[in-house]
Amino acid sequence: MQKTAATAVFESLSSPVRLDVFRLLVKQGPGGMVAGEISAALDVPPTNLSFHLKGMTHASLLTVEQEGRYQRYRANLALMVDLIGYLTEECCAGNPELCVELPGKGKTSCTAPADGAAPAAARKRARAAAPA
């Protein structure tokens, strides 16, 4: 992902309504939701929601498919994964062995302090994982 694409995604998600829509559609997975369901779930007036859905579709955050007289929206999960990769590709200064799993959600975090020095436990893990 390029910096300009990442910036466009963040600009589109900077609205609380758009962030709520995206999170709702991510939760729904590949099935997505029709506009009326999104409007009801988030208590957003249809005309207001339409404006946000159009902007998010234009930013490639959402895909839309016509289903009869309804439009089904889905989160662009591939774009989300690309964005997460872009944000974390240089995590821990390019030393993924310094990243640890956070409790509860299987997420990782860098154990290195801000000055780049690895804490003793992380250095020990890195040495143990290094090929002989």
Side-chain angles (χ1 to χ4, degrees):
M1 174 172 282
Q2 298 294 320
K3 186 177 187 178
T4 54
T7 302
V9 169
F10 284 119
E11 285 175 352
S12 185
L13 289 175
S14 67
S15 157
V17 171
R18 291 181 184 193
L19 186 58
D20 288 346
V21 168
F22 190 72
R23 291 191 63 188
L24 176 65
L25 291 174
V26 166
K27 184 177 180 181
Q28 295 302 310
M33 296 175 78
V34 296
E37 294 171 332
I38 298 168
S39 177
L42 298 177
D43 195 27
V44 176
T47 53
N48 188 4
L49 181 64
S50 178
F51 167 79
H52 290 293
L53 291 172
K54 181 178 178 182
M56 294 175 74
T57 302
H58 183 71
S60 298
L61 281 164
L62 305 179
T63 61
V64 61
E65 183 179 335
Q66 193 72 36
E67 290 184 357
R69 57 182 224 182
Y70 301 103
Q71 291 186 314
R72 180 166 299 274
Y73 291 88
R74 293 176 177 90
N76 183 343
L77 300 176
L79 178 68
M80 180 184 71
V81 170
D82 286 347
L83 181 63
I84 292 168
Y86 173 78
L87 291 172
T88 60
E89 69 189 351
E90 295 186 35
C91 180
C92 297
N95 297 296
E97 70 276 4
L98 297 178
C99 295
V100 296
E101 191 169 311
L102 295 175
K105 295 205 176 189
K107 296 180 181 177
T108 60
S109 175
C110 184
T111 59
D115 65 5
R123 285 192 305 268
K124 185 176 181 180
R125 279 195 312 275
R127 281 194 303 271

